[in-house]
Amino acid sequence: MRKTTGAIGLGAALAVSAVLGIGTSGTANAQPAKPQSLYPPSALVLTVGWGADAATTEVQRAVTLSCRPTATGTHPAPAKACAELRSVGGTFGQLRTGAEPGRVCTKEWHPITVTAEGIWDGRRVSYEHTFANNCFKSAAPTMVFEF
């Protein structure tokens, strides 16, 4: 009887260890971290919303833009937007945000704010700009915030 009890106990212990993975001689299949691309990451979230600053803006639209290795995202013209950002080295403050010559806009104050958050060529980006109204935003000759 003692042998039977011992055999049942040993069998139960082996079954539990098999379920829990205890006592197996296998090794973990962890892979070392490798970069997925040869390019530094460039992935942005762009927003447009009504309000005087990003903290109080009610976001109306948002898109994604990734420029490396190819231009992709939900932006309607990712290739043009990426080309424009490359032309200013990813410095959003250098984008032309003034109205094109000859464009006439009203002087009403109904602010619209655009933002960009994410990574450009491996560095963090946080940008916001407020236009006096939608006419001034539409008059700016930039494709980055045209969505």
Side-chain angles (χ1 to χ4, degrees):
M1 179 121 164
R2 190 178 286 192
K3 288 185 179 182
T4 306
T5 306
I8 292 173
L10 179 62
L14 287 174
V16 168
S17 68
V19 168
L20 296 177
I22 300 171
T24 60
S25 62
T27 59
N29 292 326
Q31 297 293 326
K34 294 181 183 177
Q36 297 293 323
S37 173
L38 297 176
Y39 304 100
S42 290
L44 302 163
V45 175
L46 309 172
T47 67
V48 173
W50 298 106
D53 59 39
T56 60
T57 296
E58 191 176 307
V59 175
Q60 301 297 313
R61 293 179 303 280
V63 297
T64 59
L65 181 65
S66 179
C67 296
R68 293 284 176 108
T70 59
T72 61
T74 60
H75 193 285
K80 290 180 181 179
C82 288
E84 189 173 346
L85 282 172
R86 277 191 214 97
S87 74
V88 295
T91 306
F92 283 84
Q94 291 181 0
L95 291 173
R96 293 179 42 207
T97 55
E100 293 177 309
R103 180 73 183 253
V104 178
C105 288
T106 63
K107 301 278 185 188
E108 76 176 304
W109 178 250
H110 187 57
I112 187 165
T113 299
V114 296
T115 66
E117 297 285 333
I119 310 273
W120 178 263
D121 279 343
R123 63 182 164 84
R124 293 191 184 279
V125 173
S126 182
Y127 171 81
E128 80 175 74
H129 181 79
T130 302
F131 296 93
N133 57 47
N134 197 43
C135 180
F136 282 100
K137 180 197 159 300
S138 297
T142 178
M143 285 299 300
V144 175
F145 294 105
E146 286 300 313
F147 52 88

